[in-house]
Amino acid sequence: RRHCRTRGGVTRRPLEKFFARSRVVARRSSFASPHRAPTSLPNVPAGSHRRSEQKSVRVPPGSAVAMSSAALSLKCNVCGVQLRSVAEAQSHGEATGHADFAESTEAVLNLSCVTCGKPCRSETERELHSKRTGHSEFVDKTSETSQAVDTEREMKQLEAETREELGLPAKKQKEDGDGADAATESAMDVDENENENEEERVEPEVDAALVAEIEAMGFTRNKAVRAIHTTGTTSVEQAVNWIVEHAEDVELIEDRPLVVAKSKSKPKPKLSKEEAKAKAEELRKTMAAKKEKEEKELERLREQERIRSGKELLAAKRKEEELQTKRNLEARRIEKQEVARAKAKILEKLEEDKRERRRKLGLPEELTEEEKARERQRAEEKAAAAKEEQRKKAEAGLVVKPVTAVDDLRKILVEIKKTHKDTNDEGVTTCFKTLLVYLGNVMKDPEDAKFRTIKLANGAFQKRVQSVGGDAFLRRVGFEDDGETLAMPREKVDRVLINLAGAEINSALSNPFFGVL
């Protein structure tokens, strides 16, 4: 208990006291320190060396060796997660139940996203972030943010905080001329009487007759007192066996007198069978209650971790949806600009062709006022004739289906479904259902302007319709964009077209092969 344990030639420090509050340690766990190696013992016969002669090599903190091999992280040997400090290791252990950690010279990754600045601590986290957000550029800032982990200092600090919370006095540091060895011995000493330094220390009271019998066998009084007090026995045989088994202990070799706190100097009274049974039952209940409390606390911490992870996932999903909406709006804006430029280019070409024909005929390039008036008159007469023809057909019960408009509406629905089927199929369904609601309201009361007006800044409209391009469908039905709203003038309410548009939407919702065949 007083010295370091080793595994594979690497010094390992016990952390039972550090993790005492959290049951993270299901077995004796430790941090492996790659820059501390045990000193080789001199060539002496087996069993002849003393425990006090075993010392760990300490590298001076400022030396080149210490800087080159300093631990930059703590690694969980169960799941392989890299952690930056002892506090993170303790939180990880409380959340997962892992208890095997080791110091590592490999720094914790810090891959910073160029687009949003989110730091990723592993390649897996980077790939997950890229998949969620579409961001692909990352900057490696590991060398800028990596810091050496002083495990011993952090453990001492947390131990001091634990003692303060439990109301225990601070552990006194031993003052010795041998600075490094004294600090190591102080850090690793697990003396049970360390909290009783201020209490008077005396030799424990033991059975004098038993001591005399052991002394008669050739052992010193100090060894006899230590054996009887440590074992609590009344048997000479058991005391002698203890002395033989611990013959190599420093205290026995140097024949040190045993001193304990005055409150513990008197031997404990023997319990009857009934009292021992009652005390054992009481201890069992206390341990069971303590275990239950710790399990509840651990479960609470795991639930907190689960809730935190869930909130982070929801926030990431919400942010991804917002980014996708912005990308769709930007794509629609660019598409509108391209269409407007294409139309302007076509009109310019038509005007140029018209001027070229007039030049060939010997006429001025621009129309005269008289020609412009005739053109306007012909356009008005043509519109009036079309309106009159439509009125006559309606009176005669002859309704001509707007085949071209229906085909355009169907193409828009097919394009929406193909574009977002794999990435946002649920959003497509929501868009189609919302379009049905809009058209149904217009058909129910075409005289009410509120049913024929949609605000472009409306959050529900942007998320459900505009994000997947459903606003193009409304424009083709008859809604007009004035920059702030989509409004359908009363004279453009075409019941036939609206009914056919609703039929197309219903087909898109119910027919799994819509747009495929």
Side-chain angles (χ1 to χ4, degrees):
R1 297 176 60 188
R2 187 178 295 273
H3 296 277
C4 299
R5 293 178 295 162
T6 61
R7 178 186 295 176
V10 178
T11 305
R12 301 176 63 85
R13 295 189 292 255
L15 294 182
E16 293 85 354
K17 295 174 65 179
F18 169 67
F19 287 112
R21 285 184 300 165
S22 59
R23 285 184 60 83
V24 173
V25 183
R27 55 185 176 82
R28 294 175 65 87
S29 72
S30 58
F31 287 109
S33 175
H35 57 278
R36 291 183 183 145
T39 305
S40 299
L41 296 176
N43 294 326
V44 295
S48 63
H49 59 277
R50 298 182 180 181
R51 199 187 308 179
S52 59
E53 293 174 351
Q54 300 177 14
K55 298 180 181 178
S56 297
V57 176
R58 292 181 60 88
V59 180
S63 67
V65 177
M67 296 301 293
S68 63
S69 61
L72 299 178
S73 66
L74 300 176
K75 183 177 181 181
C76 177
N77 291 331
V78 180
C79 61
V81 172
Q82 299 287 127
L83 305 161
R84 289 194 176 96
S85 64
V86 173
E88 285 191 12
Q90 185 180 28
S91 300
H92 178 75
E94 291 174 351
T96 62
H98 299 166
D100 191 2
F101 301 90
E103 289 181 348
S104 172
T105 56
E106 180 181 357
V108 179
L109 284 179
N110 185 3
L111 304 177
S112 179
C113 179
V114 176
T115 307
C116 64
K118 175 180 173 58
C120 299
R121 297 177 59 164
S122 64
E123 288 294 334
T124 303
E125 188 174 352
R126 180 189 65 78
E127 294 175 0
L128 184 61
H129 179 70
S130 299
K131 185 176 181 181
R132 289 176 178 169
T133 62
H135 302 164
S136 58
E137 296 184 9
F138 293 82
V139 177
D140 191 351
K141 297 184 178 180
T142 305
S143 59
E144 301 175 8
T145 58
S146 61
Q147 295 181 354
V149 180
D150 191 346
T151 309
E152 184 174 351
R153 180 183 60 79
E154 294 184 20
M155 288 174 61
K156 287 182 179 179
Q157 182 179 355
L158 287 176
E159 182 181 0
E161 294 175 359
T162 303
R163 288 177 172 277
E164 184 178 353
E165 292 179 5
L166 297 176
L168 300 176
K171 185 176 180 180
K172 294 184 178 180
Q173 296 292 337
K174 295 184 179 179
E175 297 180 359
D176 193 353
D178 189 0
D181 292 341
T184 304
E185 181 69 18
S186 176
M188 298 179 182
D189 190 9
V190 196
D191 191 356
E192 296 176 354
N193 300 319
E194 61 183 352
N195 296 327
E196 303 167 359
N197 290 331
E198 298 179 359
E199 190 175 352
E200 182 183 357
R201 305 177 73 82
V202 297
E203 184 179 89
E205 297 180 7
V206 295
D207 188 349
L210 200 60
V211 173
E213 289 185 29
I214 297 176
E215 285 180 332
M217 298 175 69
F219 297 102
T220 64
R221 174 179 173 79
N222 291 336
K223 293 180 180 180
V225 172
R226 186 179 294 274
I228 296 171
H229 178 75
T230 303
T231 58
T233 184
T234 58
S235 170
V236 175
E237 183 180 357
Q238 291 183 6
V240 171
N241 287 339
W242 186 91
I243 294 174
V244 173
E245 290 174 0
H246 297 78
E248 295 180 2
D249 287 4
V250 177
E251 294 83 357
L252 296 184
I253 293 174
E254 297 181 357
D255 198 19
R256 298 177 186 175
L258 176 64
V259 290
V260 296
K262 190 173 182 179
S263 59
K264 295 185 177 181
S265 62
K266 295 183 179 181
K268 297 180 181 179
K270 293 185 178 180
L271 301 177
S272 64
K273 290 185 178 180
E274 292 75 11
E275 290 176 339
K277 186 176 181 180
K279 192 171 183 66
E281 181 64 20
E282 181 182 356
L283 181 61
R284 187 191 64 78
K285 290 181 179 179
T286 303
M287 294 301 294
K290 183 179 179 181
K291 182 178 180 181
E292 183 180 359
K293 182 179 179 181
E294 291 176 347
E295 288 178 350
K296 287 182 179 179
E297 178 66 14
L298 185 59
E299 183 64 26
R300 184 183 67 81
L301 293 174
R302 288 176 178 171
E303 181 65 15
Q304 286 182 351
E305 179 69 15
R306 186 189 65 78
I307 293 173
R308 184 189 65 79
S309 301
K311 287 182 179 180
E312 288 183 356
L313 289 175
L314 288 176
K317 183 178 180 181
R318 186 161 48 249
K319 189 174 182 180
E320 173 62 19
E321 291 178 352
E322 292 175 358
L323 292 174
Q324 184 63 36
T325 300
K326 290 180 180 179
R327 288 195 289 267
N328 292 337
L329 292 175
E330 182 65 16
R332 293 292 300 167
R333 185 184 65 79
I334 295 174
E335 183 181 353
K336 289 179 183 178
Q337 291 178 351
E338 292 178 352
V339 171
R341 286 195 293 267
K343 287 183 178 180
K345 192 173 181 180
I346 292 172
L347 291 175
E348 184 180 354
K349 181 65 177 176
L350 291 175
E351 290 295 328
E352 180 64 27
D353 292 344
K354 187 184 292 186
R355 287 194 292 269
E356 181 67 23
R357 288 197 302 269
R358 291 179 66 84
R359 282 197 296 269
K360 288 181 179 180
L361 294 174
L363 299 174
E365 293 185 2
E366 301 294 334
L367 294 176
T368 62
E369 293 297 328
E370 183 179 355
E371 290 176 333
K372 290 180 179 179
R374 285 200 299 269
E375 288 289 335
R376 286 195 298 270
Q377 184 178 359
R378 282 198 295 269
E380 292 174 358
E381 291 176 354
K382 186 176 180 180
K387 188 174 182 179
E388 181 64 20
E389 183 179 0
Q390 185 177 4
R391 185 186 64 79
K392 290 180 179 179
K393 289 181 178 180
E395 291 178 353
L398 300 175
V399 178
V400 179
K401 293 183 179 181
V403 178
T404 304
V406 174
D407 286 343
D408 292 342
L409 293 174
R410 183 180 179 83
K411 289 178 182 178
I412 292 173
L413 296 177
V414 170
E415 182 65 23
I416 292 174
K417 197 163 186 178
K418 285 184 177 180
T419 303
H420 304 280
K421 180 179 180 181
D422 296 331
T423 59
N424 193 13
D425 188 45
E426 184 178 349
V428 172
T429 303
T430 302
C431 173
F432 290 171
K433 291 181 179 179
T434 306
L435 292 175
L436 274 179
V437 172
Y438 287 151
L439 299 181
N441 289 337
V442 174
M443 289 294 292
K444 182 170 61 177
D445 190 358
E447 300 298 332
D448 195 341
K450 72 178 182 180
F451 291 143
R452 295 183 279 105
T453 305
I454 304 171
K455 293 183 179 180
L456 292 175
N458 184 284
F461 172 75
Q462 292 179 351
K463 182 178 180 180
R464 298 177 183 177
V465 179
Q466 199 171 25
S467 62
V468 296
D471 53 330
F473 186 89
L474 295 174
R475 290 187 178 89
R476 189 63 186 88
V477 171
F479 284 84
E480 297 178 354
D481 187 353
D482 61 2
E484 295 183 357
T485 62
L486 283 177
M488 179 183 288
R490 177 64 184 86
E491 62 273 10
K492 287 193 175 183
V493 177
D494 189 344
R495 289 180 172 272
V496 176
L497 179 60
I498 293 176
N499 282 328
L500 293 174
E504 290 295 329
I505 295 175
N506 282 324
S507 177
L509 288 171
S510 59
N511 184 5
F513 302 103
F514 180 83
V516 177
L517 301 178

